[in-house]
Amino acid sequence: MKKVKRLGFVGWRGMVGSVLLGRMQEEGDLDYVEELVLYSTSQAGQPGPELANTQPLLADAMDLDSLSTLDVIISCQGGDYTQKVYAPLRDMGWQGYWLDAASTLRMNNSSTIILDPLNQSIIKENLANGQRDFIGGNCTVSLMLMALHGLFKENLVEWITAMTYQAISGGGAQQMRELLIQMGEIHEHATPLLRLQESSILDIDSRINEYLNSDALTTGTIGYPLANNLLPWIDIDLDNGTSREEWKGHAETNKILGREDNPIPIESTCVRVGTFRCHSQAFTIALSQDVGVDDLTDIIEQANQWVKVIPNNRQNTLQSLTPVAVSGSMDIAVGKIRKTAFNSKIMTIFTVGDQLLWGAAEPLRRMLGILAERS
Ligand code: HSE
């Protein structure tokens, strides 16, 4: 078996990093790594977890000399870390492969956005051309592409609108905790009235709404109430009426597909909802040809092994096309496949995927496999 010689992993203790490390262990990826060095920004020198082929003590994630001895670096440490370390490391002449979950380097010409079930040929071509930066896509984008893979493969997409329902895990572990705190606070606030059999639901509603509009609810991390609410803005304001998250839908998708010169128009409205770790999306898609629903379903289902088509009826949809059903699994659930009343070339689809798996960790893990194959 071919091997990656020295792999460094930064941010392995965080949410995405620990999901990634867990997946690497599950899939036996460490067998093709000769030596793994776990880095830490705060606990260098302390013992790390006992893993195969892994140095016992944590290395210093800010030590450029140490990082420059690595053949591959995986960073799940976040954009600030990439901003601090990446350029100085390259300036030292480091020639290794940089695999990153953060968006910092994604749109650089020297970066490839990795989603190998869709763009393995682009990844391999860019590798052959000497590219060394391979960056995971935005979670919503990767999950959309996995779901609609077949339609892109068959060149059936003219344009897309995406309405997203994005889980709080996309905002990080602290925001997940805060959502639970908010839920608890709201419940606690409603409890005296809930316990009174004769209390009116309108009284409960106005008590909760008043509470949500006061400063009493904990909002220090998310910034706003998310429990009992939704937030139709994710990431920064681009000052043109759209969020950066919405911009990514078009820009990253077309980069992943290698269609920057002939982009598929994609418009998104991105919304944070109070689910935990699955992003859901509703698409309206204009097809380039009038293909029947059964054929479309086959095309979507057969595109990759992770797509799981959910029959378009009430029971199957409510049972299987939900964040609760999909959370923690590699499945990309795709359902509500139907033609619209607008015309027979406009269809709708709803999809749910785990934001931490295909949305973040899995493309990086698979890229390591591609690097191992060719080393
Ligand atoms: N930007 C995403 C979100 C995170 O906030 O849900 C995953 O890339």
Side-chain angles (χ1 to χ4, degrees), residues 5-243:
K5 287 201 181 71
R6 271 172 72 75
L7 168 67
F9 193 163
V10 193
W12 51 276
R13 234 191 302 242
M15 190 168 51
V16 171
S18 49
V19 169
L20 175 53
L21 191 55
R23 283 289 297 143
M24 287 168 73
Q25 288 175 275
E26 230 169 84
E27 296 290 335
D29 294 348
L30 294 180
D31 296 345
Y32 58 72
V33 173
E34 267 174 29
E35 188 183 6
L36 172 64
V37 188
L38 294 175
Y39 283 82
S40 169
T41 50
S42 57
Q43 295 183 345
Q46 296 188 21
E50 281 180 29
L51 296 171
N53 311 329
T54 304
Q55 283 193 2
L57 299 185
L58 300 176
D60 179 359
M62 301 311 292
D63 180 350
L64 295 182
D65 289 331
S66 166
L67 293 168
S68 69
T69 65
L70 300 165
D71 298 291
V72 181
I73 296 174
I74 295 181
S75 174
C76 294
Q77 183 71 24
D80 290 347
Y81 177 77
T82 303
Q83 199 76 49
K84 274 193 210 122
V85 165
Y86 172 82
L89 193 59
R90 288 289 187 219
D91 288 347
M92 283 171 73
W94 180 66
Q95 295 285 315
Y97 294 104
W98 179 274
L99 275 48
D100 201 333
S103 65
T104 319
L105 305 175
R106 246 180 232 157
M107 295 307 291
N108 291 0
N109 285 338
S110 52
S111 296
T112 305
I113 308 182
I114 45 177
L115 190 63
D116 69 280
L118 277 97
N119 72 349
Q120 188 168 143
S121 59
I122 295 179
I123 292 172
K124 291 202 165 160
E125 193 183 315
N126 291 350
L127 264 174
N129 289 337
Q131 274 204 8
R132 290 173 179 275
D133 299 337
F134 292 89
I135 318 298
N138 172 257
C139 42
T140 321
V141 171
S142 299
L143 294 170
M144 170 179 73
L145 284 169
M146 290 297 290
L148 306 184
H149 185 178
L151 300 182
F152 290 114
K153 206 151 75 175
E154 297 299 324
N155 215 5
L156 280 171
V157 182
E158 211 163 277
W159 54 253
I160 303 177
T161 69
M163 307 291 151
T164 76
Y165 308 80
Q166 297 184 221
I168 193 61
S169 58
Q174 292 313 317
Q175 295 202 11
M176 291 172 84
R177 288 174 184 274
E178 189 169 281
L179 174 62
L180 284 174
I181 290 169
Q182 289 185 357
M183 287 171 168
E185 288 176 349
I186 292 167
H187 180 257
E188 202 174 310
H189 199 69
T191 298
L193 283 178
L194 269 179
R195 289 220 172 107
L196 282 179
Q197 287 297 329
E198 67 276 17
S199 65
S200 128
I201 194 63
L202 291 181
D203 287 344
I204 295 176
D205 170 60
S206 64
R207 187 178 166 89
I208 295 295
N209 208 40
E210 200 176 302
Y211 182 62
L212 290 171
N213 278 296
S214 74
D215 291 335
L217 189 81
T218 302
T219 56
T221 308
I222 300 174
Y224 300 89
L226 180 61
N228 274 44
N229 201 13
L230 59 79
L231 300 171
W233 203 284
I234 298 175
D235 207 334
I236 59 169
D237 190 338
L238 297 183
D239 293 326
N240 60 2
T242 64
S243 65

Side-chain angles (χ1 to χ4, degrees), residues 138-139 166 170 234 245 248 272 279 355:
N138 172 257
C139 42
Q166 297 184 221
I234 298 175
E245 191 77 358
K248 287 173 192 167
R272 181 76 74 212
H279 284 1
Q355 183 264 330

Side-chain angles (χ1 to χ4, degrees), residues 146-147 149 300-301 303-309 331-334:
M146 290 297 290
H149 185 178
I300 290 166
E301 190 154 39
N304 65 59
Q305 71 193 84
W306 299 277
V307 165
K308 190 170 155 197
V309 170
D331 290 345
I332 304 287
V334 181

